[in-house]
Amino acid sequence: MINGERAFVSAVRKYCASHGIDVELKAEGWLIVMTRGSSRRFAFGYDLGLNSAVAHRIANDKAATADVLEICDIPCVPHTAFLSPRMYKYIVPTGAWTAMLDLLKQNPQGLVVKPNEGTGGISVFKVRTEPELEVAANEIFSSERSLAISPYVEIEDEVRVILIDYRPIAVFSKNRLAVVGDGKRSVLELAIATIPAARLSSVLSGQAGDISKASLDEVPPAGRRHALNWRHNLGAGAQAVVLEQGDARAAACIEIAVKAARSIDMRFGSIDVVSVDGAWKVLEINSGVMMEALNRSHPELVDAAYAAALDLVFDPGTNA
């Protein structure tokens, strides 16, 4: 997608057009300059500038986020950061690899390895063996300065809460693509027969390791639901389903999301909350609010969320 065609840019343009604000795109669409009279504001990437630099840096660092949440006694999925060998001057003498292997031994169910800074589910690996861990680490370190490792947990449900000044603006679950077995056809055959080609393609064309050939060849028993992907990322084929006000899941997720946002003084951001063994935990915090996938099904909600944030950008006294 061309940067200037992002839903974020479209929403900013709509808001500015209705409020007499001039808009200019720079840096191939990543930098947006908004001018009204003598007042000038900037947006970069998906950041509107409402959060402090410290809040933004913590939210952008998965391990730092987990550390803060643990300090504040907020349930979360733990993340441990490891620096690339290129950063050898800052690595403890024992090295990172030994510590990574120790985590693997401590978590026989597996680990999730991902860039410590980054969004969108890019370069996220589930590993269970030392060779798999080595491949994942090398892949990530080829382009990143650090990675984060968390224990693999069976996520029963994942919900994203978007907050502005600790008030929910949008709450939606991330529903993974799945098929229901008939006892006769393989997972792949069921998927081809029941899932629209565009959505199925987004999963089957994902990164190596997300879906194994053995998984696709499996024949699920009749009536059993089989998720096609272990990840809940919208970019990996999951569908955004908005939760209505009064939904019990929404209320529980909003409560923990607000605590998480307050722990780092984040005014505008999204919090991913997951259900593990029946308990809600924070998975990640994002200070840059990206809603490209949600825009495909609920563009009016996306425009309203960004408009509420822009109200605060241009009129700080506004109650979002």
Side-chain angles (χ1 to χ4, degrees):
M1 177 189 299
I2 299 174
N3 291 328
E5 296 176 354
R6 292 176 295 146
F8 176 78
V9 176
S10 175
V12 171
R13 286 185 182 278
K14 290 177 184 177
Y15 178 90
C16 291
S18 64
H19 289 75
I21 302 169
D22 294 328
V23 176
E24 185 178 6
L25 300 187
K26 297 287 188 180
E28 298 184 352
W30 281 114
L31 174 64
I32 305 177
V33 184
M34 300 170 285
T35 307
R36 183 171 64 184
S38 61
S39 177
R40 181 178 292 116
R41 300 289 184 269
F42 301 97
F44 191 83
Y46 290 90
D47 189 352
L48 287 168
L50 288 173
N51 299 317
S52 71
V54 171
H56 173 72
R57 291 299 299 274
I58 292 176
N60 199 45
D61 186 303
K62 295 175 177 59
T65 294
D67 286 343
V68 171
L69 294 174
E70 289 175 1
I71 291 170
C72 296
D73 294 323
I74 299 172
C76 68
V77 176
H79 286 71
T80 304
F82 293 94
L83 294 177
S84 163
R86 299 194 305 272
M87 310 289 287
Y88 70 93
K89 292 182 180 179
Y90 309 99
I91 298 175
V92 295
T94 54
W97 183 241
T98 300
M100 290 185 194
L101 291 177
D102 286 343
L103 282 176
L104 188 61
K105 293 175 184 176
Q106 295 165 18
N107 295 277
Q109 77 280 9
L111 300 172
V112 175
V113 186
K114 58 186 128 176
N116 190 39
E117 299 181 26
T119 58
I122 299 173
S123 296
V124 178
F125 299 84
K126 180 172 72 172
V127 305
R128 288 187 176 178
T129 65
E130 183 174 335
E132 289 176 344
L133 177 59
E134 186 173 7
V135 168
N138 286 336
E139 174 71 20
I140 295 172
F141 283 150
S142 68
S143 59
E144 304 286 340
R145 293 185 302 174
S146 63
L147 60 76
I149 294 180
S150 62
Y152 173 74
V153 293
E154 289 286 349
I155 295 177
E156 299 148 3
D157 195 4
E158 182 169 334
V159 173
R160 173 164 290 181
V161 180
I162 297 174
L163 301 172
I164 296 180
D165 280 348
Y166 315 119
R167 300 173 64 171
I169 297 299
V171 183
F172 58 91
S173 64
K174 301 179 183 180
N175 291 3
R176 293 177 296 173
L177 279 178
V179 295
V180 178
D182 60 7
K184 301 176 181 178
R185 291 178 289 180
S186 69
V187 169
L188 180 59
E189 291 171 329
L190 290 167
I192 292 173
T194 60
I195 298 173
R199 291 196 65 204
L200 182 59
S201 175
S202 67
V203 177
L204 297 182
S205 63
Q207 78 177 40
D210 279 351
I211 306 174
S212 66
K213 183 180 184 300
S215 175
L216 291 175
D217 290 340
E218 180 182 343
V219 178
R224 176 184 292 179
R225 184 178 183 275
H226 183 99
L228 293 184
N229 198 319
W230 64 273
R231 298 190 294 150
H232 287 72
N233 297 89
L234 298 176
Q239 183 178 22
V241 179
V242 174
L243 302 184
E244 300 298 330
Q245 187 173 8
D247 186 294
R249 285 186 301 161
C253 292
I254 290 170
E255 180 180 1
I256 191 172
V258 169
K259 291 179 180 177
R262 288 190 182 279
S263 72
I264 63 171
D265 294 327
M266 184 178 69
R267 298 186 63 192
F268 182 43
S270 64
I271 297 90
D272 288 334
V273 185
V274 296
S275 176
V276 180
D277 294 330
W280 290 105
K281 299 181 177 183
V282 175
L283 178 62
E284 293 181 4
I285 298 178
N286 301 288
S287 65
V289 180
M290 182 170 62
M291 294 185 279
E292 303 299 319
L294 182 62
N295 188 66
R296 290 194 287 269
S297 56
H298 295 83
E300 74 291 342
L301 189 58
V302 172
D303 287 343
Y306 286 132
L310 285 164
D311 280 342
L312 291 176
V313 170
F314 283 94
D315 297 296
T318 300
N319 186 5

